[in-house]
Amino acid sequence: MQGEQSETVKYRIFAGTWNVGGMAPPDDLSLEDWMDTKTDSYDIYVLGFQEMVPLNARSVLGPKQRRAAMKWQLLIDDALNNRRHGDGAAAMHDQGGQGGLFRCLMSKQMVGIFVSVWTRSSLRRHVRHPGVSSVGAGVLGRLGNKGAVSVRFLLHSTSFCFVCCHLASGGEDGDALRRNADAAGILSRTSFVRSGGAPAAPDELPEKILGHDRVVLFGDLNYRIAMDDDDEARQLVRLRKWSMLLENDELLLELSKGRQFDGWHEGHVTFAPTYKYRRNSDQFYWCAVDGVATGRPEKQHRHRAPAWCDRILCRGKGMKQVRYERCGGYRLSDHRPVRAVFHVVCELAEGMDG
């Protein structure tokens, strides 16, 4: 945290997304590299996961599965606190618990989508009115196997909203339009309203996502490479010509046309595609033609071109993205995790901060 002027203050926010492909994490999995915890540089962490549970009928229609979320929460806590203190001080079950450099502000799961927000313990008193809202898309448009979990809070006098999405999949004609429709539905249908015994939010907190001062939309957005010539795409992948492939990236095309994502910004993509990899391998699934890599013949139509499915977008003034990276060392899933770092400016609340 660095004071800029008497009425504003700067913070560093880490946003990360990972589609874990329904895979349970091993107990010894360390998230330190992805979360870059050794630098001790960030004030707030917002981590989003997709496919935390397998997206089958039992997971989608059955009872809520908290076990997977709890396991990931412990791994996050390990990365932020236990590695430094060695005593497991921070209690992941206690949403406002004491102990540790970082505390979990809130977490929320909707089927396979999970969001977890952690703040420095010293910052917690300046974070007010946390709220969550879940919107299902996917099967029948409501079941929650696709959709978004959104979290919001007031930091000093500045409102933040983080929207963790899992949009429609598929690389066929018309699938990009389904993704656009999912995103539009999430933005229009998500509402933060008073529920149960929760205290009413002040008037300065908006009800809708786009009303917040600083917004981050992240997750498995599922946008693909729109190229008709498979042979050309395959050659570009072999040569690692990412910039040429990105000329046909569906999301960048949407951003440049100012259609579905008008007003949103994305950092420069310089990293390798985040999908689709063979599990426990750095090899793209698409490149293992005719079962060369596995010894098993596989039909050509099952091979999907590599793509930058996992993305992080932002909107709002006073927000500068300074890092945007894919983390290649994690091979648990067929996706690779992605992270972004933002420098944000917050307005101080008169008479409430000190």
Side-chain angles (χ1 to χ4, degrees):
M1 186 179 70
Q2 301 170 335
E4 183 182 47
Q5 295 178 0
S6 59
E7 63 276 352
T8 64
V9 64
K10 285 183 178 179
Y11 293 102
R12 292 171 291 264
I13 297 180
F14 179 105
T17 177
W18 191 8
N19 182 324
V20 296
M23 303 296 291
D27 292 335
D28 62 350
L29 178 66
S30 171
L31 301 183
E32 279 191 349
D33 287 344
W34 175 33
M35 297 172 62
D36 193 28
T37 55
K38 291 181 179 178
T39 62
D40 194 26
S41 296
Y42 313 115
D43 302 298
I44 297 175
Y45 281 84
V46 184
L47 301 173
F49 298 85
Q50 305 83 42
E51 294 191 42
M52 178 167 280
V53 295
L55 298 185
N56 53 42
R58 186 172 184 179
S59 297
V60 173
L61 300 175
K64 293 181 180 178
Q65 298 191 24
R66 292 288 301 160
R67 190 178 307 167
M70 290 174 62
K71 198 163 187 179
W72 285 105
Q73 281 282 74
L74 285 171
L75 293 175
I76 295 168
D77 186 32
D78 282 346
L80 290 174
N81 293 308
N82 292 358
R83 302 284 187 194
R84 295 169 183 161
H85 300 287
D87 58 2
M92 60 77 59
H93 299 290
D94 183 0
Q95 294 290 297
Q98 300 296 322
L101 290 177
F102 284 84
R103 294 159 61 183
C104 183
L105 174 68
M106 56 183 157
S107 63
K108 175 67 176 178
Q109 181 180 12
M110 179 184 71
V111 190
I113 303 173
F114 178 67
V115 181
S116 186
V117 183
W118 295 69
T119 69
R120 286 192 181 273
S121 299
S122 59
L123 188 62
R124 180 64 184 86
R125 65 193 179 100
H126 300 303
V127 182
R128 295 174 290 131
H129 304 291
V132 300
S133 179
S134 302
V135 170
V139 178
L140 303 181
R142 293 294 187 274
L143 287 182
N145 58 317
K146 297 286 172 65
V149 174
S150 300
V151 295
R152 68 94 168 268
F153 53 83
L154 196 66
L155 177 56
H156 299 288
S157 289
T158 301
S159 59
F160 287 82
C161 185
F162 294 82
V163 186
C164 179
C165 300
H166 194 183
L167 305 184
S169 60
E172 304 300 324
D173 290 343
D175 287 336
L177 295 178
R178 292 171 55 226
R179 289 185 267 280
N180 291 350
D182 279 356
I186 288 164
L187 294 176
S188 65
R189 292 169 47 217
T190 298
S191 294
F192 296 93
V193 295
R194 180 177 180 177
S195 61
D203 291 339
E204 67 261 30
L205 270 179
E207 182 181 328
K208 308 301 286 185
I209 290 172
L210 297 183
H212 291 77
D213 299 318
R214 321 273 189 264
V215 186
V216 174
L217 185 147
F218 65 127
D220 182 359
L221 307 188
N222 249 323
Y223 286 97
R224 308 300 172 92
I225 299 299
M227 290 184 69
D228 294 328
D229 189 338
D230 281 355
D231 290 335
E232 181 185 0
R234 195 183 303 274
Q235 185 66 12
L236 291 175
V237 169
R238 287 198 183 101
L239 296 174
R240 300 178 67 84
K241 299 288 187 180
W242 307 140
S243 61
M244 295 179 69
L245 276 171
L246 283 164
E247 292 176 4
N248 300 281
D249 178 79
E250 292 173 342
L251 180 57
L252 290 180
L253 293 173
E254 287 292 326
L255 287 165
S256 67
K257 293 174 183 176
R259 295 190 303 193
Q260 180 54 53
F261 293 96
D262 187 29
W264 292 90
H265 304 281
E266 182 182 29
H268 190 45
V269 178
T270 59
F271 46 85
T274 63
Y275 175 85
K276 179 177 184 173
Y277 292 86
R278 292 191 174 277
R279 286 193 170 93
N280 301 311
S281 168
D282 289 325
Q283 185 179 47
F284 288 117
Y285 189 77
W286 199 45
C287 295
V289 181
D290 298 326
V292 171
T294 63
R296 298 192 308 270
E298 300 187 50
K299 293 182 180 179
Q300 181 69 25
H301 72 265
R302 290 183 58 190
H303 296 273
R304 296 179 178 178
W308 288 264
C309 291
D310 309 277
R311 311 287 276 271
I312 303 176
L313 312 180
C314 69
R315 63 183 293 145
K317 296 179 180 178
M319 197 170 193
K320 180 182 179 182
Q321 184 172 341
V322 296
R323 294 180 70 181
Y324 195 23
E325 296 160 334
R326 158 194 170 278
C327 302
Y330 293 89
R331 301 176 182 87
L332 177 73
S333 164
D334 52 1
H335 291 251
R336 294 293 180 266
V338 173
R339 65 186 175 204
V341 174
F342 299 94
H343 288 179
V344 301
V345 177
C346 293
E347 298 173 358
L348 296 178
E350 292 184 15
M352 296 190 68
D353 296 291

